[in-house]
Amino acid sequence: MALVWIYSRQMPLALLPFSVYSVFHVLTYTRTNLIPIFSAPKAGAPPTSPASPQSPRPGSNSPLANSIGRFVKEYYDTSMTLVAILEIGLWFRVLLSALTFSKGSWVLLLIYTAFLRARYAQSQFVQGAFAQVGARADAAISNQSTPPAARQAWESVKGGLRTAHDATDLRKYMGGQQGTKKPQ
């Protein structure tokens, strides 16, 4: 997807999901690779082979590594949900540019829709974000001041989305489960 964004019209919103991913990748890399290199072994500790599975990783007891690990563990689910909501918001931004007939926007809409559909199939966070956005839209539409035509249009959109989801569900064509889902 990054290559698509390099060659398409710039949308600053597209950087936000990558930025959140990057923060967690840098933190995890720092905790697992850099801190053990720069932390000194404890005085009086017997030398161990780094390849030995019984030997603790150097730096595994580092307060900085522990606090990074707690941060990642505490905020990972929240930030992946944020990324999923940003990806959905970005789809609406791409749809808006397609409706205004910006150059190359229809191709971008098709590619990004396929990407978002694949993310939906593989990520419980994206599924949860769609459920959250759908529930908010249902709550807004169910307001008494909403005209019946708008309610009917929303039901048509939901029906169309369900039909598109069912038509692009690969499990149906493969005869069962696709495999295990990744949590991201």
Side-chain angles (χ1 to χ4, degrees), residues 101-120:
F101 296 101
S102 296
K103 182 179 178 185
S105 60
W106 287 99
V107 173
L108 182 60
L109 180 64
L110 289 174
I111 291 170
Y112 194 71
T113 301
F115 167 77
L116 196 56
R117 175 61 180 102
R119 290 275 294 142
Y120 182 85

Side-chain angles (χ1 to χ4, degrees), residues 33-48:
N33 294 327
L34 296 180
I35 291 175
I37 290 173
F38 293 114
S39 67
K42 293 184 179 181
T48 58

Side-chain angles (χ1 to χ4, degrees), residues 5 12 17 62 68 70 73 85 93 95 138 143 159 166 173:
W5 292 122
S62 164
I68 290 173
R70 278 191 309 273
K73 186 179 249 185
I85 291 170
R93 169 62 178 90
L95 177 67
D138 282 339
N143 190 353
D166 293 343
Y173 301 114

Side-chain angles (χ1 to χ4, degrees), residues 18 20-32 184:
F18 290 108
V20 173
Y21 282 131
S22 296
V23 166
F24 280 90
H25 285 286
V26 167
L27 287 174
T28 303
Y29 181 81
T30 300
R31 182 177 59 90
T32 58
Q184 6 179 337

Side-chain angles (χ1 to χ4, degrees), residues 132-144 146 151 154 158:
Q132 182 181 7
V133 168
R136 286 182 182 220
D138 282 339
I141 293 295
S142 67
N143 190 353
Q144 293 295 335
T146 305
R151 288 184 193 159
W154 172 241
K158 284 193 329 186

